[in-house]
Amino acid sequence: MRRESCIWWVTATFFSFVTAKEVSFPGLWTRNIQAPDSSRIVRCSKAAYTEGYVEISEQLEAPIVLREQGALVTFECPQVVGGRLFFKVDEEYTSAEQNVGIAFSRLPTTVGRKTDASTSHADHDLTQFMPLERGNYNYLDEDHIRGAFQYVTLFVPAPEDPKDGQAVPTEPEILLQDSSDQKRMGRLHGIREQESIGISDVGVVFTAAAGMKDPRAYKGFFNSSDEGLNSIWYSGAYDLQLRSIPSDQGGPPVDLVCVNSNQTCAPGQWQNNFTISNSSSVIVDGANQNRIVSSNLLTAIPGIAYSTYDMPNIKNTVETLLSLYPCDTYCRLETVLATYQYILFSADFAFLDEIWPQYIDILFHLLGRVNPQTGFLSAVASNKTNPEHTGETVLAQGMFSKALSSSISLATWLAEYSGAPNSGTTMSLAAKWRKSLASFRTSFEASSMYAHAKAHGQFPNSASYSTLFPERGNIWAVYANLFPSGAVPCISNSTLTPDLVFLAALAATDAIPEALSLMRRKPFSSAIAPAATSFLSTHILGLQLVEPAGRRWRIEPRLGDLRSVMGGLETTLGKFIVSLKRTDEGDEVLEVVVPQGTQGFVIWGGGAGVHIREGGKWRWTKGQSGGIVGGKVVDGKEAVGQKEWRKKKEAEERKGRGHDEL
C-alpha cells in the first residue's frame, strides 16, 4: 500500500515520455471511443452491489461506509479498464489499524470476494488484502496493477484473513442479499461490531495504451449504418489498447516464475510486475491472462494501425520478438509476418535496414527446413501436447507461403525506397525468394494433399495425419491462396474462435454475409473484436494498403446489408477516407480521399475498377442500371468522366510484388 497526495503526479510519472496528439478524424463517431482522456483517470463511482451493513448516502461526495465484517460493496467502472486502483479512505468512518479486502471482476455475474482467474492453474486469483491509511488516497501497490476489469469489490475482512498480501478470502457465516431492510438492520450474526471502513472517490490510474499520452487520440475511424458493428470496431480497438502495456508490467505464469526462483506459490497467486522487454511498452497476448510479449500479431498490428496507429508500440514488440530468436518454427513464421506488417503500415525503412541481417537469418533457417524430397516446410512446434503441429502440416505450408511472399515484398521495398547502398544484393535476395516460392507452390500443387482438397474441399493435416482435417490449417490455406481453383473450402462452419485470418478467409470466398453474421453473434468477445476492427476497415470499408504507408493502395468497399459505411486512416503520408452509401432511390455514391504522391485502384460496381494516379477527392455514383459516372472533385464539383471504369480483371494490379494483402 502506498499513499499518494496527488493523482496527477502518478499519471505524469508513467507517461511523460509521449507527446500528446489530437484525434485525426473528429466527428460523432468519437463517442464510441472507450479509452479515457489524457488525464488517464477513470472513476468508478457507481455502487453496483452490496452485502452486509453498508451505508450509502444520497450525497454524492459522502463516503460509502462498510460496517462490521461481512460488509461488502462492489463499484462499477464506466467500462473495462486496466491500471492501478486507488480510493480515498475517510478518517471519521474508518477504524484504526483497519485493513480491506480487494477483488476484481470483468463481468457483473462474477463479482464478490474472489478475483477472476488470470491463469489456468486456479478457478480464481487470490484476493488482495492491504492495510489502510485514514484520511488519504490509498493505492494498491504497483506490483498488482490489474489488466482488465470493470468491477472492484471492497470488503471488511474476517479475522482469519491476512492484514496484507494475497489469500483465499474467508466467507462470512451468513450472506445477506442487498436490500433496504438489510441496510436499516445492518447486523450479521457472530461478528465484531467495531470495524468499519469509509470509502469515496474510487478510481483507476489507466496504465494501458502505454504508447499514447492521450489514449483517445485515434488516427483512424469507422462509422456505418449499423451501430452494433460500430461498437464492435471500437471495442476491438480498445481491447488492443488494453493489451498495450508498459514493459515492466508483464505477468508471466506465476508458477513458472516461482519454479525458476525457488519460491513457493499458492494456487491463484498473481502479480504484474515483470519486465518483459527492454522497450518502454509492448503488445501482450492478453490484458489479464498471458501478459507476455505477443508473437501472434497478425490480428493486433492491423487493428492497431487502423485505429490508434500506435506504430512505436508495434515496433517495440517486433524488436522484442527478434531479440527472442531462436524459437520454434511457428514463432519464426509469426515474427517474419509481424515484421512485414509493421513495415507495411509504418514505412520505417531505417528499422528494416537495421534488423535486416536478423530477418535474413530467420528466413534462411526456414528455407533450410524445406524437405528436398517433398518441397514442404517441416515444422518444429514447442507445444508437445499437439503432435499434429509438427512436421509438414498444411498450417505450416500456409504460413510459409505467406512468409516468403512477405519477404519478397520487404526486400523489394528496402531496395527501392530505403536508399540503402546494397540494393543490388537485396534485389537478388528477392529474386531467390521468388524462385523458392514458385518451387514451393509447384510442389504443393503436385501433392496428394492438394488433390484431396481439390476433390473434397479440405486439406488433410499432413501425410502423417491424413485422416485429420484441421480447421486452422485449412483456413490458412485459403488465406494464403493455396486452395485449388474451383474447389469450395469447408470453412464457413468452423468452430474455432474467429481471428483476422479466419475473417479474411471468409472474405476471400465471398462469404461477407457469414462474416458479418459471425461478428454480430459474438459482438464483444475479446477474441473476435480486435479481428473485427481490422476486418471491417479492410473488407467492408475496403481500405487496404499495398505498399508502405499507402504509397500504393487498394479500395474495394462492400456494403453487404448496410446502407452506409465510412472510415479512414492517417499514415505518415496523409489521410485516406472512404465513404459509400445507398440512397433512398437505390443509387450508390462512393467518395474517396487519398494523399498526394500515392496511387492505387478503386474496385467497385460489380467488379469494375479505376486506376487513380493522383491524390485528392473523388466521387462516383452508380445507378440501378450499373452505370458509373463521376470523377475527381475540384472546388466541390465533379469532373464527370475523367476516369474510365474497366472490368476488375483488367483494372486490378498485383497487390504488392508477389504478396496478397489482408
Side-chain angles (χ1 to χ4, degrees):
M1 185 275 294
R2 178 178 176 183
R3 177 175 62 86
E4 305 288 359
S5 59
C6 181
I7 297 171
W8 317 108
W9 177 87
V10 178
T11 304
T13 300
F14 286 160
F15 303 101
S16 60
F17 60 89
V18 187
T19 302
K21 299 179 181 179
E22 295 181 353
V23 62
S24 292
F25 301 96
L28 291 176
W29 44 81
T30 59
R31 69 184 184 274
N32 290 317
I33 297 176
Q34 299 178 33
D37 60 23
S38 57
S39 73
R40 288 186 167 267
I41 299 299
V42 180
R43 285 186 160 78
C44 310
S45 57
K46 180 181 177 181
Y49 176 73
T50 64
E51 287 179 4
Y53 187 8
V54 179
E55 294 179 357
I56 301 178
S57 173
E58 294 182 357
Q59 298 179 4
L60 293 179
E61 297 183 0
I64 292 177
V65 182
L66 309 180
R67 294 194 182 276
E68 307 171 349
Q69 293 162 32
L72 169 155
V73 59
T74 298
F75 291 93
E76 180 180 353
C77 304
Q79 70 273 337
V80 174
V81 292
R84 190 179 181 191
L85 176 70
F86 69 84
F87 49 89
K88 189 173 183 179
V89 177
D90 185 83
E91 185 168 14
E92 178 182 356
Y93 292 104
T94 303
S95 306
E97 300 183 359
Q98 181 63 49
N99 68 325
V100 67
I102 304 171
F104 298 95
S105 174
R106 187 160 186 161
L107 300 174
T109 54
T110 58
V111 300
R113 292 172 176 78
K114 294 181 180 179
T115 291
D116 289 346
S118 63
T119 73
S120 59
H121 304 287
D123 293 335
H124 294 86
D125 283 359
L126 295 180
T127 297
Q128 195 74 26
F129 295 90
M130 61 180 272
L132 299 175
E133 290 193 22
R134 298 188 300 168
N136 292 308
Y137 277 100
N138 285 233
Y139 285 75
L140 189 56
D141 64 86
E142 292 179 319
D143 290 347
H144 296 97
I145 283 170
R146 192 70 181 176
F149 66 96
Q150 189 168 0
Y151 301 88
V152 56
T153 296
L154 305 178
F155 62 92
V156 179
E160 298 84 359
D161 293 329
K163 286 289 184 181
D164 198 1
Q166 293 184 344
V168 177
T170 303
E171 295 288 346
E173 293 182 12
I174 299 176
L175 291 180
L176 296 181
Q177 297 302 313
D178 181 20
S179 69
S180 57
D181 289 341
Q182 172 195 325
K183 292 178 184 178
R184 286 196 298 269
M185 293 170 55
R187 303 294 176 184
L188 291 177
H189 175 69
I191 59 176
R192 295 181 297 176
E193 299 181 4
Q194 68 269 27
E195 292 186 304
S196 65
I197 304 174
I199 301 166
S200 62
D201 198 15
V202 178
V204 178
V205 179
F206 188 78
T207 60
M212 307 172 67
K213 184 168 185 179
D214 184 355
R216 295 182 63 83
Y218 277 36
K219 292 297 180 183
F221 81 106
F222 179 87
N223 193 54
S224 75
S225 55
D226 186 330
E227 283 299 327
L229 290 180
N230 300 340
S231 296
I232 294 169
W233 191 94
Y234 285 95
S235 293
Y238 183 57
D239 185 84
L240 291 167
Q241 288 184 284
L242 290 174
R243 290 167 50 192
S244 300
I245 68 170
S247 59
D248 60 354
Q249 293 181 12
V254 174
D255 57 340
L256 177 62
V257 174
C258 294
V259 168
N260 291 340
S261 59
N262 294 319
Q263 300 179 28
T264 300
C265 291
Q269 183 174 330
W270 64 277
Q271 55 201 74
N272 291 318
N273 63 347
F274 296 94
T275 299
I276 54 178
S277 170
N278 292 327
S279 304
S280 58
S281 62
V282 288
I283 305 164
V284 293
D285 277 338
N288 266 349
Q289 296 182 331
N290 300 324
R291 284 172 68 92
I292 56 177
V293 178
S294 177
S295 62
N296 185 10
L297 296 173
L298 288 176
T299 292
I301 292 178
I304 292 171
Y306 280 107
S307 56
T308 62
Y309 201 70
D310 185 6
M311 291 296 108
N313 206 23
I314 296 175
K315 177 182 177 180
N316 292 344
T317 308
V318 172
E319 199 167 27
T320 302
L321 288 177
L322 289 166
S323 71
L324 297 176
Y325 175 80
C327 54
D328 75 6
T329 304
Y330 294 102
C331 174
R332 287 181 170 98
L333 289 166
E334 288 166 349
T335 300
V336 166
L337 295 171
T339 304
Y340 167 81
Q341 284 188 328
Y342 171 63
I343 300 302
L344 174 65
F345 287 105
S346 70
D348 187 351
F349 298 116
F351 174 75
L352 181 59
D353 188 53
E354 178 185 342
I355 58 93
W356 192 239
Q358 291 173 270
Y359 185 94
I360 293 174
D361 285 346
I362 295 175
L363 200 67
F364 280 172
H365 172 88
L366 293 170
L367 288 167
R369 293 205 59 82
V370 174
N371 184 335
Q373 279 73 44
T374 63
F376 282 19
L377 174 71
S378 180
V380 175
S382 59
N383 187 352
K384 305 300 183 183
T385 61
N386 292 315
E388 66 271 18
H389 290 173
T390 297
E392 300 176 8
T393 67
V394 65
L395 172 61
Q397 310 321 308
M399 296 182 71
F400 181 54
S401 177
K402 275 290 189 182
L404 281 175
S405 56
S406 297
S407 299
I408 294 165
S409 294
L410 285 178
T412 305
W413 298 338
L414 186 62
E416 289 188 356
Y417 299 132
S418 71
N422 57 347
S423 59
T425 304
T426 306
M427 287 300 288
S428 67
L429 278 175
K432 287 182 180 179
W433 294 340
R434 194 171 285 111
K435 288 182 180 179
S436 297
L437 178 59
S439 176
F440 163 77
R441 292 188 70 96
T442 298
S443 298
F444 189 80
E445 291 173 9
S447 68
S448 59
M449 291 171 59
Y450 189 85
H452 189 282
K454 190 171 185 178
H456 303 287
Q458 283 184 310
F459 281 99
N461 185 70
S462 64
S464 301
Y465 289 88
S466 59
T467 59
L468 177 66
F469 302 95
E471 292 179 298
R472 180 65 64 200
N474 276 273
I475 287 168
W476 263 94
V478 175
Y479 175 61
N481 196 26
L482 293 179
F483 228 86
S485 177
V488 179
C490 303
I491 63 170
S492 296
N493 296 322
S494 173
T495 59
L496 294 176
T497 300
D499 60 6
L500 180 56
V501 174
F502 180 30
L503 294 175
L506 289 177
T509 59
D510 293 324
I512 294 295
E514 288 86 345
L516 291 176
S517 176
L518 182 63
M519 286 184 281
R520 287 163 174 151
R521 290 200 311 269
K522 302 180 179 181
F524 300 108
S525 163
S526 60
I528 193 174
T533 300
S534 177
F535 177 82
L536 289 169
S537 291
T538 56
H539 294 287
I540 301 303
L541 186 66
L543 174 58
Q544 299 183 26
L545 306 189
V546 174
E547 291 194 356
R551 279 178 167 80
R552 289 180 180 269
W553 44 263
R554 167 192 174 89
I555 294 172
E556 186 176 3
R558 297 161 170 164
L559 272 180
D561 58 7
L562 302 174
R563 290 191 58 82
S564 65
V565 62
M566 176 171 58
L569 165 67
E570 183 177 15
T571 74
T572 54
L573 296 182
K575 293 183 178 181
F576 297 82
I577 303 173
V578 179
S579 172
L580 177 60
K581 63 181 178 180
R582 185 178 292 116
T583 67
D584 293 338
E585 292 76 23
D587 297 341
E588 292 183 5
V589 180
L590 173 63
E591 292 186 352
V592 170
V593 177
V594 293
Q596 294 293 342
T598 71
Q599 62 174 299
F601 274 92
V602 179
I603 309 296
W604 182 54
V610 61
H611 190 182
I612 304 299
R613 293 182 173 87
E614 56 183 314
K617 182 175 181 179
W618 302 76
R619 182 189 300 124
W620 300 277
T621 299
K622 178 168 69 75
Q624 297 182 49
S625 64
I628 300 174
V629 295
K632 189 169 185 180
V633 177
V634 180
D635 296 329
K637 297 181 180 179
E638 297 175 10
V640 177
Q642 273 196 357
K643 290 288 179 181
E644 178 187 359
W645 285 82
R646 294 171 291 171
K647 292 298 182 182
K648 180 176 179 180
K649 187 173 182 180
E650 301 173 30
E652 185 178 11
E653 68 176 359
R654 293 178 65 85
K655 307 174 203 172
R657 293 172 177 82
H659 188 57
D660 296 323
E661 302 308 326
L662 279 172

